[in-house]
Amino acid sequence: MAFIKINKIRTYSFIGCMDEEKKIGSEYETSIEIKFMCDFVELKDNLKKTVDYVNVSKVVNDEMKNACNLLETVVYRIGNKLLDIDDKISSVTVEIKKLNPPIVGHAQFVSVKEEFKR
């Protein structure tokens, strides 16, 4: 089993239930961990035998452009889309952090995380 982890993909998105969030947006960090069957010695420096993390990043950036109410919705869309883009992926964990959320107590972030399996 091999792992690829992409940490803190930064985006600016319009996700949230409050009118302010829909108008002015907010900063987000998305982290992805992919598990896939691979023996690194067999890769022979061939990108087609591994998971292309450029494509993974593109999925995250494309989905974060779509406004919605819930972080859970975006996590679900990203997780399922990543399973669809590469058959080598056995599971993917998606975590999205909303930085400086508009809640009482001045939290640094709130996050939503889920693992998706084949």
Side-chain angles (χ1 to χ4, degrees), residues 15-109:
I15 300 167
C17 296
M18 298 172 62
D19 288 339
E20 302 152 8
E21 294 173 300
K22 294 178 188 306
K23 290 178 186 173
I24 63 173
S26 188
E27 288 186 284
Y28 296 83
E29 289 180 350
T30 303
S31 294
I32 306 291
E33 183 173 305
I34 294 169
K35 294 180 189 176
F36 63 108
M37 295 306 294
C38 177
D39 184 354
F40 289 162
V41 86
E42 295 176 8
L43 288 178
K44 301 192 187 322
D45 207 31
N46 183 347
L47 179 62
K48 292 180 181 179
K49 292 184 177 184
T50 188
V51 175
D52 185 347
Y53 54 80
V54 172
N55 289 337
V56 172
S57 176
K58 183 175 178 352
V59 167
V60 170
N61 279 283
D62 288 350
E63 288 302 323
M64 292 300 288
K65 289 178 185 174
N66 297 320
C68 64
N69 290 326
L70 301 176
L71 286 175
E72 291 87 336
T73 300
V74 187
V75 165
Y76 177 82
R77 291 192 310 224
I78 290 171
N80 284 293
K81 191 162 275 188
L82 290 175
L83 287 178
D84 287 343
I85 67 166
D86 196 321
D87 291 339
K88 291 183 290 297
I89 297 173
S90 58
S91 72
V92 59
T93 300
V94 180
E95 180 179 23
I96 300 177
K97 293 179 180 178
K98 178 184 276 193
L99 306 179
N100 302 308
I103 61 176
V104 176
H106 305 290
Q108 184 180 19
F109 64 85

